[in-house]
Amino acid sequence: RHSPTMLVHQHSHVYFVQSGEKAGKYCRSGAGGGWVDIEAPHAPQDYDIKVRAASASCVRRGTKFDRAVILNDVTKIARLSLKLALSFVDRPASGFALFQGLRTPEAAQWCAENFHKKLLPRLAEKIHVYKTEELQ
């Protein structure tokens, strides 16, 4: 809660006005200190899909240098591990990443262990639909 009349989504800094002339509107603070109206957040949709992922690794000098990570339920992982609510993300939402350690496996291992810690807060910052230009 930002004020008695406004709610705020802390990660994206989007405010929802509950009463007054802008009741029911979403807004952000503008450059001049005022409020700028924005579109409503993305309403999540449920989809029936099946996901399978696999990776093949070369073993060099007796050590596997690659690490594969699958985030099978992004919203659940965000809620349990980072205490983030991703209620605006379509479900099911999952992620897959393959990290290659060029000289040692420790670099790939660090990336695999911290992948969700970097990705999920970035997802929480934006509660609207991503445009193609923003993803590139």
Side-chain angles (χ1 to χ4, degrees), residues 29-43:
S29 63
W35 297 101
V36 177
D37 290 345
I38 59 173
E39 62 188 49
H42 175 67

Side-chain angles (χ1 to χ4, degrees), residues 4-6 16-24:
T5 61
M6 296 178 86
F16 177 74
V17 183
Q18 292 183 304
S19 62
E21 66 181 48
K22 289 191 171 197

Side-chain angles (χ1 to χ4, degrees), residues 9-14 28 38 84-86 88-89 117-128 130:
H9 185 264
Q10 296 174 347
H11 300 287
S12 62
H13 304 291
V14 171
R28 277 204 166 122
I38 59 173
L84 292 173
L86 296 179
F88 48 86
V89 174
K117 296 175 189 173
K118 302 291 183 187
L119 174 69
L120 299 180
R122 299 227 24 216
L123 280 177
E125 288 175 2
K126 184 161 170 85
I127 63 175
H128 296 89
Y130 280 94

Side-chain angles (χ1 to χ4, degrees), residues 47-101:
Y47 296 98
D48 292 327
I49 62 169
K50 291 184 181 182
V51 177
R52 292 189 177 129
S55 69
S57 300
C58 291
V59 176
R60 291 176 270 156
R61 294 175 281 188
T63 305
K64 183 177 138 184
F65 280 56
D66 302 345
R67 298 292 185 267
V69 176
I70 187 162
L71 304 176
N72 57 346
D73 189 349
V74 169
T75 55
K76 184 177 179 181
I77 293 168
R79 186 179 70 248
L80 296 177
S81 70
L82 301 176
K83 310 295 187 248
L84 292 173
L86 296 179
S87 57
F88 48 86
V89 174
D90 291 337
R91 290 176 296 271
S94 57
F96 178 78
L98 180 62
F99 300 103
Q100 182 180 25

